[in-house]
Amino acid sequence: MIYGGKKMRLFRRWSVISLLSVLSALPCSRLHAQETLLIATWGGAYEQAQQQALFAPFTQQTGIKIKTLAYNGGIAVLQAEPLPDLVDMPEEDAHRACAQGLLVRADFSRLLIKEPDTRLRTDFLPDAIQPCGVAHLTFSTLLAYDSRAFPGEKPQRSADFFDTRRFPGKRGLRREPTDVLEWALLADGVPLSQVYDLLSTERGMRLALRRLESIREHIVWWDEADEPASLLQSGQVTMTSGYNGRFFLARSTENPLNIIWDGQIIDRDVWVVPAQNQLSSEIRQFIRFATSAASLARLAEHIPYGPTRHSAMARIGNHPQRGIPMRDHLPTAPRYLEGALFRDTRWYAKTAAWRERVFREWLDGED
């Protein structure tokens, strides 16, 4: 049927009105997502590095803006309001969330950029490409001390953290059943290769908590990632646990702290997508961009968290402001690997509830 001029104009007007009605009925968040991504990340020095190395260049290249959501670990963020489009999540939490169906499952290898003369699967570290995301960086939790507190002999091993006679003063620890359990067993002489097997037993947990009990009265608990360096700088503690990137930047601003690489616990962060979302074009573009060798190397130049693909390592140069060769400060630098422990994130995911219960009982004095 062929419409005349007046009928054709009426038809076109009805079509435009109908289309506008459909668009106005769409959720605002989905329309908003076409130009902005909300990313849950860790704040502080790390987020500043991401802004400079990832977020700003991504926006410049694609026109898609990045907003960030404050986040300090765990999986509750996957049901937060507002719901982030992506989360920069520790691998342990990513394993737990994936098993519980809280993350989008996909063949993430299809989103990634293949570097010339490399095979994608072997370019990335083992198990970096996961069913529910892509591990994009390595970092370590380790110990640092205030050099002013020890003018003579200096702490050199993780076991020195528990020796308050030779190295007196308060100790900073994260208020979680993580890291210190491993260090406690290492202080008892347990080999690196046996730490998680022993911690899987009631006996191993008792040994770890007994060692922790020996410094109970010296502990200052911290919760946020930016606290450890401040605790050292203010003199509230003489030694503390913390993250290698935060300590690096604190040292660069003349905070009188030194890092103990012995016993560092190496971990990874993973880009994941909450299951309530879809792998939109914007999310796909960001994952592809953020996991490229160039982007991973650029981030490592701003903060010493190592890339998860081999092709990125050779690209890492100096810190853009300080001119420091950053490959020498990565937790995976060869000289720091002796005495390093790679966190068993699957063990962590499986034992989360048990560790939390035992640790809380210890905190309450019921160990």
Side-chain angles (χ1 to χ4, degrees):
M1 180 176 181
I2 301 177
Y3 289 91
K6 184 176 181 180
K7 288 185 178 181
M8 179 61 76
R9 287 193 298 273
L10 288 173
F11 175 75
R12 287 173 176 168
R13 183 180 301 172
W14 177 86
S15 299
V16 170
I17 292 173
S18 298
L19 178 60
L20 291 174
S21 299
V22 170
L23 290 174
S24 65
L26 289 173
C28 292
S29 60
R30 286 294 81 193
L31 290 176
H32 185 64
Q34 299 304 306
E35 57 186 27
T36 303
L37 286 175
L38 180 62
I39 296 179
T41 189
W42 294 80
Y46 176 49
E47 184 178 327
Q48 292 174 22
Q50 287 182 307
Q51 291 285 1
Q52 296 170 337
L54 296 181
F55 300 161
F58 175 73
T59 298
Q60 184 176 13
Q61 178 174 306
T62 66
I64 302 168
K65 298 177 182 178
I66 301 291
K67 289 187 176 181
T68 59
L69 179 70
Y71 171 67
N72 197 38
I75 62 176
V77 69
L78 299 174
Q79 297 172 323
E81 183 60 44
L83 182 69
D85 294 292
L86 295 107
V87 182
D88 188 357
M89 181 170 280
E91 192 169 60
E92 169 209 347
D93 293 335
H95 285 320
R96 279 201 296 146
C98 188
Q100 295 177 31
L102 298 176
L103 300 176
V104 168
R105 282 180 169 266
D107 182 359
F108 284 91
S109 65
R110 298 173 65 87
L111 308 183
L112 307 178
I113 296 174
K114 182 182 178 299
E115 297 296 326
D117 302 319
T118 65
R119 293 180 61 235
L120 194 63
R121 292 281 177 179
T122 55
D123 187 19
F124 277 85
L125 296 179
D127 299 321
I129 304 173
Q130 301 174 7
C132 292
V134 183
H136 62 99
L137 63 77
T138 62
F139 66 95
S140 72
T141 309
L142 35 62
L143 301 167
Y145 63 91
D146 182 347
S147 58
R148 299 169 299 185
F150 310 114
E153 183 184 11
K154 309 293 186 186
Q156 297 182 10
R157 301 172 58 247
S158 58
D160 294 336
F161 188 81
F162 298 88
D163 191 342
T164 55
R165 183 184 59 82
R166 290 171 58 216
F167 304 105
K170 295 291 187 179
R171 305 303 202 239
L173 281 173
R174 187 179 180 189
R175 199 193 313 265
E176 293 291 340
T178 61
D179 311 317
V180 70
L181 300 175
E182 290 96 320
W183 291 325
L185 291 188
L186 292 176
D188 270 349
V190 176
L192 290 167
S193 60
Q194 297 178 24
V195 166
Y196 289 113
D197 286 341
L198 187 55
L199 274 179
S200 300
T201 67
E202 296 283 352
R203 174 176 171 270
M205 187 63 74
R206 283 198 306 271
L207 289 173
L209 292 178
R210 184 176 67 186
R211 176 65 73 163
L212 185 56
E213 182 67 30
S214 71
I215 61 168
R216 182 194 280 268
E217 64 185 47
H218 300 277
I219 296 173
V220 175
W221 298 108
W222 59 266
D223 299 293
E224 303 295 332
D226 59 351
E227 292 181 67
S230 297
L231 289 172
L232 284 175
Q233 190 170 28
S234 65
Q236 295 179 66
V237 302
T238 59
M239 299 176 69
T240 183
S241 63
Y243 303 110
N244 75 287
R246 306 279 180 146
F247 287 147
F248 168 83
L249 293 177
R251 292 180 73 188
S252 299
T253 55
E254 299 183 355
N255 192 340
L257 66 82
N258 282 290
I259 291 174
I260 301 172
W261 288 98
D262 176 71
Q264 67 159 326
I265 301 174
I266 298 178
D267 208 341
R268 305 196 294 196
D269 263 16
V270 184
W271 287 119
V272 299
V273 180
Q276 298 178 54
N277 296 337
Q278 295 180 346
L279 280 178
S280 67
S281 171
E282 294 76 20
I283 292 174
R284 291 170 183 265
Q285 287 181 69
F286 179 81
I287 293 175
R288 183 175 175 83
F289 177 88
T291 57
S292 70
S295 294
L296 294 176
R298 191 165 54 244
L299 181 61
E301 290 172 351
H302 284 79
I303 193 166
Y305 294 146
T308 55
R309 55 192 308 177
H310 301 291
S311 58
M313 289 296 293
R315 296 173 179 245
I316 299 172
N318 296 344
H319 190 281
Q321 282 79 45
R322 300 181 177 90
I324 300 171
M326 294 300 285
R327 268 185 287 181
D328 296 338
H329 295 274
L330 300 180
T332 50
R335 61 176 172 163
Y336 300 139
L337 286 179
E338 185 178 357
L341 178 66
F342 286 83
R343 190 186 307 280
D344 188 336
T345 54
R346 286 186 169 82
W347 179 86
Y348 259 77
K350 289 188 292 186
T351 62
W354 173 61
R355 285 184 294 106
E356 183 72 18
R357 176 181 58 79
V358 173
F359 181 69
R360 295 302 161 185
E361 288 175 356
W362 179 83
L363 279 180
D364 294 337
E366 299 175 1
D367 62 313

